[in-house]
């Protein structure tokens, strides 16, 4: 049994992680902006301070976690009109994360698990799965903030002895998923023709319960200390294959048009949406051999299991 604090505990990944931790017999506290939405068995602590600015002074004296899993973050904002996106992301994802680490260490925590993103490394895999030791080249404000946070936290761990663990998931899916994955399911469900039939590139994904299981291992296994791990399901579908699998589980066959990839790229340039198009047609695979070797971790659920569970949830809401 380990005492674990989870920031963002009432979010998509946070709820899955808390379910796994409670089921594993751990004592879980959820740090949230507003109470409500946490899983049963989780003690809530609400702190509404912007970017955790007052966290150290408001930290309850009796709260002494052994590990903190930091999920709370500023994520992609559709049509973001912030004057300086890099500064906005940095304030929450770098400076905020460092404040949480500092407060955790002062409270006696010995480990800090930081949930970063594969976007801290790259948007594409350049012909082979991305490894933890690859030179990071983030392409947007979100990715740059996640990489900067990794570096700041590693330095803080080196200075203090706090065991910092970095986790870089790719796209996370599962029941209650939002953003692009939900839009893809919407399109398949409605029978919208998708120009993805000729796209053969592969994308790594991680089912939210697989990610939760890996995070629990990172929080409790002594061998995870000071490590960086890429985490994925291990069965990387093509974009067309993903749409077909979703169609199978949604019981709504995907309507795929085999448009040449060169046409899709040209359309992206004409509409000034090259980055969005590339995320659909480009390859982004991650190498998960390190966590499998160091921790002996294997995803408890297959890709097909995860897609089936996600589709069941979607069907239940429509």
């Amino acid at each position: 049994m380990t005492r674990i604090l989870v920031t963002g505990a009432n979010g998509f990944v946070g709820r899955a992680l808390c379910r796994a931790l409670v089921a594993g017999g751990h004592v879980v506290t959820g740090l949230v902006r507003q109470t409500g939405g946490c899983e049963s068995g989780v003690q809530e602590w609400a702190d509404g301070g912007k970017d955790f600015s007052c966290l150290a002074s408001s930290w309850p004296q009796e709260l002494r976690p052994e590990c903190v899993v930091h999920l709370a973050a500023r994520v992609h904002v559709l049509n973001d009109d912030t004057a300086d996106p890099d500064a906005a992301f940095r304030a929450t994802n770098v400076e905020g994360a460092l404040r949480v680490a500092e407060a955790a260490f002062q409270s006696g925590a010995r480990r800090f698990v930081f949930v970063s993103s594969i976007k801290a490394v790259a948007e594409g895999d350049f012909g082979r799965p991305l490894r933890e030791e690859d030179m990071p080249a983030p392409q947007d404000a979100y990715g740059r903030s996640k990489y900067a946070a990794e570096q700041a936290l590693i330095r803080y761990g080196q200075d203090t002895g706090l065991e910092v663990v970095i986790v870089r998931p790719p796209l996370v899916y599962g029941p209650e998923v939002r953003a692009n994955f939900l839009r893809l399911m919407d399109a398949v469900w409605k029978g919208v023709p998708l120009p993805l039939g000729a796209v053969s590139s592969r994308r790594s994904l991680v089912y939210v319960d697989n990610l939760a299981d890996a995070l629990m291992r990172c929080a409790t296994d002594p061998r995870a200390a000071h490590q960086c791990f890429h985490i994925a399901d291990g069965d990387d579908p093509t974009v067309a294959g993903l749409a077909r699998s979703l169609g199978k589980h949604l019981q709504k066959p995907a309507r795929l048009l085999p448009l040449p990839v060169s046409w899709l790229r040209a359309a992206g340039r004409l509409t000034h949406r090259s980055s969005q198009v590339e995320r659909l047609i480009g390859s982004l695979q991650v190498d998960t051999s390190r966590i499998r070797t160091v921790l002996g971790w294997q995803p408890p659920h297959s890709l097909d299991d995860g897609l089936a569970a996600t589709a069941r949830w979607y069907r239940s809401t429509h």
Side-chain angles (χ1 to χ4, degrees):
M1 180 182 73
T2 304
R3 299 185 305 278
I4 299 175
L5 173 73
V6 179
T7 72
N10 55 3
F12 172 49
V13 177
R15 289 193 299 274
L17 173 59
C18 288
R19 283 195 301 271
L21 291 171
V22 170
H26 303 289
V27 177
V28 186
T29 300
L31 174 56
V32 295
R33 289 190 176 275
Q34 295 180 330
T35 56
C38 284
E39 294 293 312
S40 176
V42 175
Q43 180 179 348
E44 291 184 334
W45 168 30
D47 182 274
K50 183 175 175 59
D51 301 329
F52 305 103
S53 57
C54 300
L55 191 66
S57 59
S58 65
W59 194 285
Q61 187 173 3
E62 69 277 8
L63 182 59
R64 311 287 289 180
E66 299 165 75
C67 174
V68 171
V69 181
H70 186 52
L71 284 162
R74 186 177 198 269
V75 296
H76 296 284
V77 180
L78 190 64
N79 300 321
D80 189 0
D81 58 359
T82 305
D84 188 345
D86 277 279
F89 276 105
R90 185 176 183 87
T92 300
N93 295 351
V94 184
E95 295 161 14
L98 194 55
R99 290 189 190 107
V100 177
E102 291 169 347
F105 180 72
Q106 290 166 11
S107 76
R110 58 179 173 77
R111 179 167 296 185
F112 188 87
V113 179
F114 177 63
V115 182
S116 182
S117 168
I118 198 62
K119 286 179 173 290
V121 183
E123 294 285 348
D125 60 27
F126 310 113
R128 64 163 177 77
L130 295 172
R131 295 190 285 262
E132 290 85 351
E133 62 270 20
D134 286 335
M135 181 63 69
Q139 298 298 304
D140 63 8
Y142 172 74
R144 288 189 290 271
S145 72
K146 283 294 191 178
Y147 178 60
E150 291 180 10
Q151 296 304 296
L153 290 166
I154 289 170
R155 288 192 296 269
Y156 183 74
Q158 291 170 341
D159 291 342
T160 62
L162 181 67
E163 297 174 356
V164 173
V165 184
I166 306 295
V167 175
R168 293 173 178 158
L171 188 149
V172 184
Y173 70 97
E176 301 183 21
V177 69
R178 294 292 182 264
N180 289 338
F181 201 94
L182 179 59
R183 285 192 280 273
L184 177 59
M185 286 200 293
D186 285 339
V188 173
W189 179 262
K190 295 173 183 176
V192 175
L194 298 170
L196 305 174
V199 179
S200 60
S201 59
R202 294 184 178 273
R203 309 282 294 191
S204 291
L205 310 171
V206 61
Y207 178 44
V208 67
D209 285 355
N210 284 342
L211 177 57
D213 185 77
L215 290 173
M216 181 165 60
R217 290 288 297 274
C218 289
T220 58
D221 193 319
R223 297 171 295 180
H226 308 295
Q227 291 282 350
C228 176
F229 296 120
H230 290 176
I231 297 173
D233 289 342
D235 183 4
D236 303 335
T238 64
V239 176
L242 174 61
R244 291 190 185 97
S245 294
L246 285 172
K248 178 186 73 172
H249 291 299
L250 290 171
Q251 300 170 11
K252 300 273 189 175
R255 298 180 62 191
L256 298 175
L257 304 179
L259 267 65
V261 171
S262 60
W263 290 15
L264 298 178
R265 286 199 167 98
R269 290 192 295 271
L270 288 171
T271 59
H272 305 289
R273 295 183 176 179
S274 291
S275 60
Q276 293 95 320
V277 170
E278 202 58 39
R279 281 197 288 271
L280 273 175
I281 66 177
S283 177
L284 179 56
Q285 293 181 270
V286 304
D287 185 330
T288 62
S289 58
R290 178 178 290 179
I291 191 170
R292 294 169 186 263
T293 300
V294 175
L295 302 187
W297 181 78
Q298 296 287 337
H301 307 280
S302 69
L303 171 69
D304 196 63
D305 290 341
L307 294 178
T310 308
R312 283 195 299 272
W313 160 76
Y314 186 93
R315 292 201 311 270
S316 73
T317 64
H318 288 73

